[in-house]
Coordinates of all heavy atoms in Angstrom, one line a residue:
D540 N -0.8 -29.9 14.3 CA -0.5 -28.4 14.1 C 0.0 -28.1 12.7 O -0.4 -27.0 12.2 CB 0.5 -28.0 15.2 CG 1.8 -28.8 15.1 OD1 1.8 -29.9 15.5 OD2 2.8 -28.2 14.6
M541 N 0.8 -28.9 12.1 CA 1.3 -28.7 10.8 C 0.2 -28.7 9.8 O 0.2 -27.9 8.8 CB 2.4 -29.7 10.4 CG 3.1 -29.5 9.1 SD 4.2 -28.0 9.2 CE 3.5 -27.0 7.9
L542 N -0.7 -29.6 9.9 CA -1.8 -29.8 8.9 C -2.7 -28.6 9.1 O -3.3 -28.1 8.1 CB -2.5 -31.1 9.1 CG -1.6 -32.4 8.9 CD1 -2.5 -33.6 9.1 CD2 -1.0 -32.3 7.5
A543 N -3.0 -28.2 10.3 CA -3.9 -27.1 10.5 C -3.3 -25.8 10.0 O -4.0 -25.0 9.3 CB -4.2 -26.9 12.0
F544 N -2.0 -25.6 10.2 CA -1.3 -24.4 9.7 C -1.3 -24.3 8.2 O -1.5 -23.3 7.6 CB 0.1 -24.4 10.3 CG 1.0 -23.3 9.7 CD1 0.8 -22.0 10.1 CD2 2.0 -23.7 8.8 CE1 1.6 -21.0 9.6 CE2 2.8 -22.7 8.3 CZ 2.6 -21.4 8.7
S545 N -0.9 -25.5 7.6 CA -0.8 -25.5 6.1 C -2.1 -25.6 5.4 O -2.2 -25.3 4.2 CB 0.1 -26.6 5.7 OG -0.4 -27.9 6.1
G546 N -3.1 -26.1 6.1 CA -4.4 -26.3 5.4 C -4.5 -27.5 4.5 O -5.3 -27.6 3.6
C547 N -3.5 -28.5 4.7 CA -3.4 -29.7 3.9 C -4.2 -30.8 4.5 O -3.9 -31.2 5.6 CB -2.0 -30.0 3.7 SG -1.0 -28.8 2.8
T548 N -5.2 -31.3 3.8 CA -6.1 -32.3 4.4 C -6.1 -33.6 3.5 O -7.1 -34.4 3.6 CB -7.5 -31.8 4.6 OG1 -8.0 -31.3 3.3 CG2 -7.5 -30.6 5.6
Q549 N -5.1 -33.8 2.7 CA -5.1 -35.0 1.8 C -5.2 -36.3 2.7 O -4.4 -36.5 3.6 CB -3.8 -35.0 1.0 CG -3.6 -36.2 0.1 CD -4.6 -36.3 -1.1 OE1 -5.2 -35.3 -1.4 NE2 -4.7 -37.4 -1.7
G550 N -6.2 -37.1 2.4 CA -6.3 -38.4 3.1 C -7.0 -38.3 4.4 O -7.2 -39.3 5.1
C551 N -7.5 -37.1 4.8 CA -8.2 -36.9 6.1 C -9.7 -37.1 5.8 O -10.2 -36.8 4.7 CB -7.9 -35.5 6.7 SG -6.2 -35.2 7.2
S552 N -10.4 -37.5 6.9 CA -11.8 -37.6 6.8 C -12.5 -36.2 6.9 O -11.8 -35.2 7.2 CB -12.4 -38.5 7.9 OG -12.1 -37.9 9.2
E553 N -13.8 -36.1 6.6 CA -14.4 -34.8 6.7 C -14.4 -34.3 8.1 O -14.2 -33.1 8.3 CB -15.9 -35.0 6.2 CG -16.0 -35.2 4.7 CD -17.5 -35.3 4.3 OE1 -18.4 -35.0 5.2 OE2 -17.8 -35.5 3.1
E554 N -14.5 -35.2 9.1 CA -14.5 -34.7 10.5 C -13.1 -34.2 10.8 O -13.0 -33.1 11.5 CB -14.9 -35.9 11.4 CG -16.3 -36.3 11.3 CD -16.6 -37.2 10.1 OE1 -15.6 -37.6 9.4 OE2 -17.8 -37.4 9.8
E555 N -12.1 -34.8 10.3 CA -10.7 -34.4 10.6 C -10.4 -33.1 9.9 O -9.8 -32.2 10.5 CB -9.7 -35.5 10.2 CG -9.7 -36.7 11.0 CD -8.8 -37.8 10.5 OE1 -8.6 -37.9 9.2 OE2 -8.3 -38.7 11.2
A556 N -10.9 -32.9 8.7 CA -10.7 -31.7 7.9 C -11.3 -30.5 8.6 O -10.8 -29.4 8.7 CB -11.2 -31.8 6.5
E557 N -12.5 -30.8 9.2 CA -13.3 -29.7 9.9 C -12.5 -29.4 11.2 O -12.4 -28.2 11.6 CB -14.7 -30.2 10.2 CG -15.5 -29.1 10.9 CD -16.9 -29.6 11.2 OE1 -17.3 -30.7 10.7 OE2 -17.7 -28.9 11.8
E558 N -12.0 -30.4 11.8 CA -11.3 -30.2 13.1 C -10.0 -29.3 12.8 O -9.7 -28.4 13.6 CB -10.9 -31.5 13.6 CG -10.1 -31.5 15.0 CD -9.8 -32.9 15.5 OE1 -9.2 -33.7 14.7 OE2 -10.1 -33.2 16.6
L559 N -9.3 -29.6 11.7 CA -8.1 -28.8 11.4 C -8.5 -27.4 11.0 O -7.7 -26.4 11.4 CB -7.4 -29.5 10.2 CG -6.8 -30.9 10.5 CD1 -6.3 -31.5 9.2 CD2 -5.7 -30.8 11.6
T560 N -9.6 -27.2 10.3 CA -10.0 -25.8 9.9 C -10.3 -25.0 11.2 O -9.9 -23.8 11.3 CB -11.2 -25.9 9.0 OG1 -10.8 -26.6 7.8 CG2 -11.6 -24.5 8.6
K561 N -11.0 -25.6 12.1 CA -11.4 -24.9 13.3 C -10.2 -24.5 14.1 O -10.1 -23.4 14.7 CB -12.4 -25.7 14.2 CG -13.8 -25.8 13.5 CD -14.7 -26.5 14.4 CE -16.1 -26.6 13.8 NZ -17.1 -27.3 14.7
M562 N -9.2 -25.4 14.2 CA -8.0 -25.1 14.9 C -7.2 -24.0 14.3 O -6.7 -23.1 14.9 CB -7.1 -26.4 14.9 CG -5.8 -26.2 15.7 SD -4.9 -27.8 15.7 CE -3.5 -27.3 16.8
R563 N -7.2 -23.9 12.9 CA -6.5 -22.8 12.2 C -7.2 -21.5 12.5 O -6.5 -20.5 12.6 CB -6.4 -23.2 10.7 CG -5.7 -22.1 9.9 CD -5.5 -22.5 8.5 NE -6.7 -22.7 7.7 CZ -7.2 -23.9 7.4 NH1 -6.6 -25.0 7.8 NH2 -8.3 -24.1 6.7
N564 N -8.5 -21.5 12.5 CA -9.2 -20.2 12.7 C -9.0 -19.7 14.1 O -9.2 -18.5 14.4 CB -10.7 -20.5 12.4 CG -11.0 -20.7 11.0 OD1 -10.2 -20.2 10.1 ND2 -12.0 -21.4 10.7
V565 N -8.7 -20.5 15.1 CA -8.5 -20.1 16.5 C -7.3 -19.3 16.6 O -7.3 -18.3 17.4 CB -8.5 -21.3 17.4 CG1 -8.0 -20.9 18.8 CG2 -9.9 -21.9 17.6
Y566 N -6.2 -19.6 15.9 CA -4.9 -19.0 16.2 C -4.8 -17.7 15.3 O -4.7 -17.8 14.1 CB -3.8 -20.0 15.9 CG -3.6 -20.9 17.0 CD1 -4.3 -22.1 17.1 CD2 -2.7 -20.5 18.1 CE1 -4.1 -22.9 18.2 CE2 -2.5 -21.4 19.1 CZ -3.2 -22.6 19.2 OH -3.1 -23.4 20.3
P567 N -4.7 -16.6 16.0 CA -4.5 -15.3 15.2 C -3.2 -15.2 14.6 O -3.0 -14.4 13.6 CB -4.7 -14.2 16.3 CG -4.3 -14.9 17.6 CD -4.7 -16.3 17.4
W568 N -2.2 -15.9 15.0 CA -0.8 -15.9 14.4 C -0.8 -16.5 13.0 O 0.0 -16.2 12.2 CB 0.2 -16.6 15.3 CG 0.3 -16.1 16.7 CD1 0.9 -14.9 17.1 CD2 -0.3 -16.7 17.8 NE1 0.7 -14.8 18.5 CE2 0.0 -15.9 18.9 CE3 -1.0 -17.9 18.1 CZ2 -0.4 -16.2 20.2 CZ3 -1.4 -18.2 19.3 CH2 -1.1 -17.3 20.4
W569 N -1.7 -17.4 12.8 CA -1.8 -18.1 11.5 C -2.7 -17.3 10.6 O -4.0 -17.4 10.6 CB -2.3 -19.5 11.6 CG -1.4 -20.4 12.5 CD1 -0.2 -20.1 12.9 CD2 -1.7 -21.7 13.0 NE1 0.3 -21.1 13.6 CE2 -0.6 -22.1 13.7 CE3 -2.8 -22.5 12.9 CZ2 -0.5 -23.3 14.4 CZ3 -2.8 -23.7 13.6 CH2 -1.6 -24.1 14.3
K570 N -2.2 -16.4 9.7 CA -2.9 -15.4 9.0 C -3.7 -16.0 7.9 O -4.8 -15.5 7.5 CB -1.9 -14.4 8.5 CG -1.2 -13.6 9.6 CD -0.2 -12.6 9.0 CE 0.5 -11.9 10.1 NZ 1.5 -10.9 9.6
E571 N -3.3 -17.1 7.2 CA -4.0 -17.6 6.1 C -5.1 -18.6 6.6 O -4.8 -19.6 7.2 CB -3.0 -18.4 5.2 CG -3.6 -18.8 3.9 CD -2.6 -19.5 3.0 OE1 -1.5 -19.9 3.4 OE2 -2.9 -19.8 1.8
K572 N -6.3 -18.2 6.4 CA -7.5 -18.9 7.0 C -8.2 -19.8 5.9 O -8.5 -21.0 6.2 CB -8.5 -18.0 7.6 CG -7.9 -17.1 8.7 CD -7.3 -17.9 9.8 CE -6.8 -17.0 10.9 NZ -6.2 -17.7 12.1
V573 N -8.4 -19.3 4.7 CA -9.1 -20.0 3.7 C -8.1 -20.6 2.7 O -7.4 -19.9 2.1 CB -10.1 -19.1 2.9 CG1 -10.8 -19.9 1.8 CG2 -11.1 -18.5 3.9
I574 N -8.0 -22.0 2.7 CA -7.0 -22.6 1.9 C -7.6 -23.7 1.1 O -8.4 -24.5 1.6 CB -5.9 -23.3 2.9 CG1 -5.2 -22.2 3.7 CG2 -4.9 -24.0 2.1 CD1 -4.3 -22.7 4.8
D575 N -7.2 -23.8 -0.2 CA -7.6 -24.8 -1.1 C -6.6 -26.0 -1.0 O -5.5 -25.8 -1.5 CB -7.7 -24.3 -2.5 CG -8.3 -25.3 -3.5 OD1 -8.1 -26.5 -3.2 OD2 -8.9 -24.9 -4.5
S576 N -6.9 -27.0 -0.3 CA -5.9 -28.1 0.0 C -5.4 -28.8 -1.3 O -4.2 -29.0 -1.4 CB -6.6 -29.1 0.9 OG -5.7 -30.2 1.1
D577 N -6.3 -29.1 -2.2 CA -5.9 -29.8 -3.4 C -5.0 -28.9 -4.3 O -4.0 -29.4 -4.8 CB -7.2 -30.1 -4.3 CG -8.0 -31.2 -3.6 OD1 -7.5 -32.0 -2.8 OD2 -9.3 -31.2 -3.8
M578 N -5.3 -27.6 -4.4 CA -4.4 -26.8 -5.2 C -3.1 -26.6 -4.6 O -2.0 -26.6 -5.2 CB -5.1 -25.4 -5.4 CG -4.3 -24.4 -6.2 SD -5.1 -22.8 -6.5 CE -6.5 -23.3 -7.5
K579 N -3.1 -26.5 -3.3 CA -1.8 -26.3 -2.6 C -0.9 -27.6 -2.7 O 0.3 -27.5 -2.8 CB -2.1 -26.0 -1.1 CG -0.9 -25.4 -0.3 CD -1.3 -24.8 1.0 CE -0.1 -24.1 1.6 NZ -0.5 -23.5 2.9
R580 N -1.6 -28.7 -2.6 CA -0.9 -30.0 -2.8 C -0.2 -30.1 -4.2 O 0.9 -30.5 -4.3 CB -1.8 -31.2 -2.5 CG -1.2 -32.6 -2.8 CD -2.2 -33.7 -2.5 NE -1.6 -35.0 -2.8 CZ -1.8 -35.6 -4.0 NH1 -2.5 -35.0 -4.9 NH2 -1.2 -36.8 -4.2
K581 N -1.0 -29.7 -5.2 CA -0.5 -29.8 -6.6 C 0.7 -28.9 -6.8 O 1.6 -29.1 -7.7 CB -1.6 -29.5 -7.6 CG -2.6 -30.6 -7.7 CD -3.7 -30.3 -8.6 CE -4.8 -31.4 -8.7 NZ -5.9 -31.1 -9.6
Q582 N 0.7 -27.8 -6.0 CA 1.8 -26.8 -6.1 C 3.1 -27.3 -5.3 O 4.1 -26.6 -5.3 CB 1.4 -25.5 -5.6 CG 0.3 -24.8 -6.5 CD -0.2 -23.5 -5.9 OE1 -0.1 -23.3 -4.7 NE2 -0.9 -22.7 -6.7
G583 N 3.0 -28.4 -4.7 CA 4.1 -28.9 -3.9 C 4.3 -28.2 -2.6 O 5.4 -28.3 -2.0
L584 N 3.2 -27.6 -2.0 CA 3.3 -26.8 -0.8 C 2.8 -27.6 0.4 O 2.7 -27.0 1.5 CB 2.6 -25.5 -1.0 CG 3.1 -24.6 -2.1 CD1 2.2 -23.4 -2.2 CD2 4.5 -24.3 -1.9
C585 N 2.4 -28.8 0.3 CA 1.9 -29.6 1.4 C 3.0 -30.7 1.8 O 3.7 -31.2 1.0 CB 0.6 -30.4 1.0 SG -0.8 -29.3 0.9
P586 N 3.0 -31.0 3.1 CA 3.9 -32.1 3.5 C 3.3 -33.4 2.9 O 2.1 -33.6 2.8 CB 3.8 -32.1 5.0 CG 2.5 -31.4 5.3 CD 2.3 -30.4 4.2
L587 N 4.2 -34.3 2.6 CA 3.8 -35.6 2.1 C 3.1 -36.4 3.1 O 3.4 -36.3 4.3 CB 5.0 -36.4 1.6 CG 5.7 -35.9 0.3 CD1 6.9 -36.9 0.0 CD2 4.8 -35.7 -0.8

Side-chain angles (χ1 to χ4, degrees):
D540 59 282
M541 186 68 237
L542 298 180
F544 171 74
S545 63
C547 298
T548 58
Q549 175 72 14
C551 295
S552 65
E553 290 185 6
E554 291 78 9
E555 289 173 333
E557 184 180 355
E558 183 179 53
L559 295 171
T560 301
K561 288 183 177 180
M562 184 179 183
R563 180 170 63 256
N564 290 332
V565 164
Y566 278 88
W568 304 283
W569 299 348
K570 297 178 181 179
E571 192 177 8
K572 302 299 183 183
V573 180
I574 300 174
D575 186 333
S576 177
D577 292 334
M578 181 178 293
K579 198 166 185 179
R580 175 177 176 268
K581 290 178 181 178
Q582 293 173 343
L584 301 177
C585 285
L587 293 182

